Amino acid sequence: MNIIDRYILKLYLRPFIIVFVVMVLFLLMQWVWKYIDDLVGKGVEWYYIAELLVYFAAQMVPQAIPLSVLLASLMVFGDMGEHMELAAMKSAGVSLYRMMRPLFFTVLLTAGVSFLFNNYVIPVTNLKGETLLRNIASKKPALNIKPGVFYGGIEGFNIKVGEKYGEDKNKLRNILIYDHTDRLGNIKVTTAREGEMRVTPDKQYLEITLYNGSTYEEIQARKRSDIEKRPFARSTFEKSVMRLDLSSFESGDLRKQSGKDFTMLNVAQLDVAADSIKTVFERRIEELNASMMERFELHNENAVLSAQLALNDSYENSEADSSQNAQDSIPTDMLAGLTTEQRSMVIENALRLARSHKSYYDQAKLEFYWWRKVIARYYIEKHKKFALSYLALIMFFIGAALGAIIRKGGLGMPVVVSVLTFIVYHVTSFTIEKLGREIVLQPWFSIWLPSMIFTPIALFLVYKSATDSALMQWEAWQKVLSLFNVIKFNKAKSTQ
């Protein structure tokens, strides 16, 4: 490695690391805002939240690498062009290809690491992260009884207190408790002037000690005559203790796993899973074919008509003869010799059978379409692992070429150009991938088509930048833009 290689690598690595960290944090913040409602107010320990953030930060790595490569390479060559270093190296006989060589091997190594990370680390983080998020989201909110508001977080009870006071805010006034444990509505109500609540040492129960209160309960009448009387029971007390179960508020093992999907598998596991699903799918097709053959099997037409019209009592005994005659050709008029009423019965029965067969076929068609979409998702996920790694190379070529064109360093123009380029690629990739999910395109083709589109563009930009083509000179485009401004100005002046 000579001085030029070390110099260019030094220029590249610093912005790449900084941009990579910033992009991971930026993408992570988007995730946090998306799931903030599922995380806040659940009373989950801080280390669960920290673990969840680590898992989802790891998931952002394959997405952050291509954008970091694009922006870092654009900043390097843009900064070198701005300070006339590109011109100096070219005048010394160092081509753009030679300047790109150390970064090419660096990005190639980065793409390899990205694939390994995407194939072996991401499935594990997806499994652990999604499991932890799902368990946190399904956890009940933390116990928080607010004055003046009904609290229904404890299963089977609805509690309202007028005031909370005391040093620990555990003393209550004007307490109203609805007991819904019988699931019969508001038939049991307890009120008290004052009370005190505390959680048992094992945190299994909430004890509420009530003072100077009463309990009202409607009695369910068993006789019709007692319904109009509306029987009820009422009792008063000076002190009463209620124990409410808090077991549903326990965190438990929030890491408990329930299953895997295609995002939680590596390439080898995706192949095995897709083949297993295809085997089930093919078996289902064979079952449908056999079923449809049975439904449309040819029978002796006279025996069928006789069975439909109940004209032949010995039809069941003639099944063997019927199957033998099934090979005979069907006559032109199967309804010959039947009365009008019999013809109507046969036609109605035929229409009923046709509708039944069509409904069965339509349901099978929807089922097979669903099976094909499931299989496609596994192949899409498999090819995405390779395509995301290859994307780093595409972004490098585009970034290096554009940096040599615009000749602007820093975080101004490079950031704008990088973001616009990545947005165009992302929108194109997402749109075409959706066609693959809907089986409009082959799954592998829908993933690789954006790369097929952008690879020639990237190579074309590199070639034109390396040959100093006028097409790739920023000054030439400025002249074109200024020409349009002059024409626009002249038109505005002529209209006046």
Side-chain angles (χ1 to χ4, degrees):
M1 182 182 295
N2 56 30
I3 297 176
I4 294 179
D5 294 339
R6 288 197 298 269
Y7 176 70
I8 295 176
L9 281 175
K10 182 179 178 181
L11 290 177
Y12 172 81
L13 290 177
R14 183 179 178 184
F16 173 79
I17 295 173
I18 294 175
V19 173
F20 174 74
V21 173
V22 170
M23 288 309 305
V24 169
L25 293 177
F26 175 75
L27 295 173
L28 182 61
M29 287 304 299
Q30 287 186 317
W31 174 87
V32 169
W33 286 116
K34 181 179 179 181
Y35 293 104
I36 189 68
D37 292 336
D38 295 329
L39 302 176
V40 174
K42 299 298 181 70
V44 180
E45 290 80 358
W46 67 269
Y47 50 84
Y48 281 126
I49 302 297
E51 182 180 353
L52 190 63
L53 292 177
V54 170
Y55 289 146
F56 281 93
Q59 295 179 22
M60 309 304 170
V61 170
Q63 304 175 37
I65 285 179
L67 185 55
S68 303
V69 169
L70 172 64
L71 183 54
S73 58
L74 201 153
M75 290 174 63
V76 168
F77 286 92
D79 188 66
M80 292 173 64
E82 185 177 12
H83 293 89
M84 304 304 293
E85 291 174 311
L86 284 179
M89 291 184 183
K90 287 182 179 180
S91 64
V94 181
S95 66
L96 182 64
Y97 301 128
R98 177 63 184 83
M99 288 182 271
M100 292 173 59
R101 187 174 68 180
L103 295 188
F104 171 76
F105 288 109
T106 303
V107 174
L108 189 64
L109 178 62
T110 305
V113 173
S114 175
F115 170 75
L116 295 176
F117 191 89
N118 204 1
N119 190 46
Y120 294 105
V121 178
I122 294 300
V124 177
T125 59
N126 280 339
L127 175 61
K128 294 182 178 294
E130 293 294 337
T131 300
L132 190 56
L133 176 63
R134 182 169 55 250
N135 293 338
I136 291 176
S138 61
K139 188 178 182 295
K140 286 191 174 183
L143 182 63
N144 187 15
I145 301 176
K146 297 180 180 179
V149 180
F150 277 103
Y151 178 77
I154 302 177
E155 186 176 359
F157 294 91
N158 226 329
I159 304 173
K160 180 182 178 182
V161 298
E163 181 184 356
K164 294 174 67 176
Y165 64 99
E167 183 177 354
D168 297 327
K169 299 293 183 180
N170 63 332
K171 295 184 178 181
L172 315 173
R173 287 197 181 100
N174 300 326
I175 306 161
L176 178 63
I177 301 175
Y178 284 96
D179 188 345
H180 296 154
T181 53
D182 295 332
R183 302 183 183 276
L184 297 175
N186 299 328
I187 64 170
K188 188 174 182 180
V189 184
T190 301
T191 62
R193 292 182 181 179
E194 294 182 342
E196 184 177 355
M197 65 178 182
R198 74 177 188 91
V199 178
T200 57
D202 58 2
K203 297 184 179 180
Q204 292 292 316
Y205 297 95
L206 172 67
E207 283 190 356
I208 302 181
T209 304
L210 305 176
Y211 303 99
N212 301 322
S214 60
T215 299
Y216 171 88
E217 181 178 3
E218 294 183 5
I219 299 176
Q220 298 299 307
R222 296 183 179 180
K223 297 182 180 179
R224 185 179 183 87
S225 58
D226 294 337
I227 296 178
E228 297 180 357
K229 298 180 181 179
R230 300 182 182 276
F232 68 93
R234 182 177 181 180
S235 61
T236 60
F237 57 84
E238 293 184 358
K239 180 180 178 180
S240 177
V241 179
M242 298 183 65
R243 291 170 61 91
L244 309 182
D245 187 11
L246 297 181
S247 59
S248 59
F249 289 87
E250 290 184 350
S251 294
D253 185 8
L254 294 180
R255 302 183 182 89
K256 186 178 181 180
Q257 299 175 4
S258 57
K260 290 185 177 182
D261 61 15
F262 51 86
T263 63
M264 304 170 185
L265 304 175
N266 57 34
V267 171
Q269 292 170 335
L270 286 169
D271 283 333
V272 173
D275 290 340
S276 300
I277 297 175
K278 285 178 66 176
T279 302
V280 177
F281 178 46
E282 291 170 356
R283 188 183 304 120
R284 184 69 184 90
I285 293 177
E286 293 175 359
E287 293 175 357
L288 175 69
N289 291 337
S291 175
M292 297 301 284
M293 290 297 295
E294 290 179 3
R295 288 170 177 263
F296 290 100
E297 185 179 3
L298 291 176
H299 299 280
N300 180 275
E301 66 280 358
N302 294 325
V304 172
L305 295 176
S306 299
Q308 291 176 345
L309 300 172
L311 299 175
N312 187 3
D313 295 335
S314 62
Y315 171 68
E316 295 181 357
N317 298 325
S318 63
E319 184 176 356
D321 296 336
S322 176
S323 60
Q324 179 66 31
N325 294 329
Q327 305 299 326
D328 299 337
S329 61
I330 300 177
T332 305
D333 187 4
M334 295 181 61
L335 304 181
L338 300 180
T339 64
T340 303
E341 182 180 359
Q342 292 172 342
R343 286 172 177 260
S344 177
M345 291 175 61
V346 171
I347 292 173
E348 290 179 0
N349 192 36
L351 289 174
R352 178 182 61 79
L353 290 175
R355 294 191 187 99
S356 175
H357 296 335
K358 184 178 183 301
S359 176
Y360 180 77
Y361 174 77
D362 291 340
Q363 291 295 327
K365 185 178 179 181
L366 292 175
E367 178 188 350
F368 290 168
Y369 179 66
W370 178 83
W371 277 107
R372 292 176 62 198
K373 288 178 66 175
V374 171
I375 296 172
R377 292 303 296 271
Y378 281 84
Y379 285 117
I380 286 175
E381 189 65 25
K382 171 187 173 182
H383 286 280
K384 278 177 70 175
K385 295 180 184 298
F386 295 96
L388 274 175
S389 303
Y390 179 69
L391 178 60
L393 293 174
I394 298 177
M395 293 295 108
F396 164 67
F397 287 125
I398 293 177
L402 292 179
I405 294 170
I406 64 176
R407 299 173 187 172
K408 295 288 183 181
L411 294 175
M413 183 64 71
V415 172
V416 175
V417 174
S418 299
V419 171
L420 290 178
T421 304
F422 195 79
I423 287 176
V424 171
Y425 179 88
H426 182 72
V427 171
T428 304
S429 175
F430 180 79
T431 303
I432 298 177
E433 180 184 335
K434 190 174 182 180
L435 296 178
R437 293 181 181 181
E438 298 298 327
I439 320 299
V440 178
L441 297 175
Q442 288 292 329
W444 69 269
F445 187 69
S446 66
I447 294 300
W448 287 105
L449 183 57
S451 299
M452 297 177 185
I453 295 174
F454 278 80
T455 297
I457 296 175
L459 296 178
F460 174 78
L461 291 174
V462 171
Y463 173 75
K464 288 298 183 179
S465 299
T467 56
D468 292 327
S469 173
L471 179 64
M472 293 294 103
Q473 291 181 3
W474 181 247
E475 292 79 4
W477 289 103
Q478 285 181 328
K479 292 180 180 179
V480 174
L481 294 176
S482 62
L483 180 61
F484 277 106
N485 291 332
V486 171
I487 295 174
K488 184 177 180 181
F489 176 75
N490 292 334
K491 286 184 177 180
K493 188 174 180 180
S494 60
T495 54
Q496 293 178 358

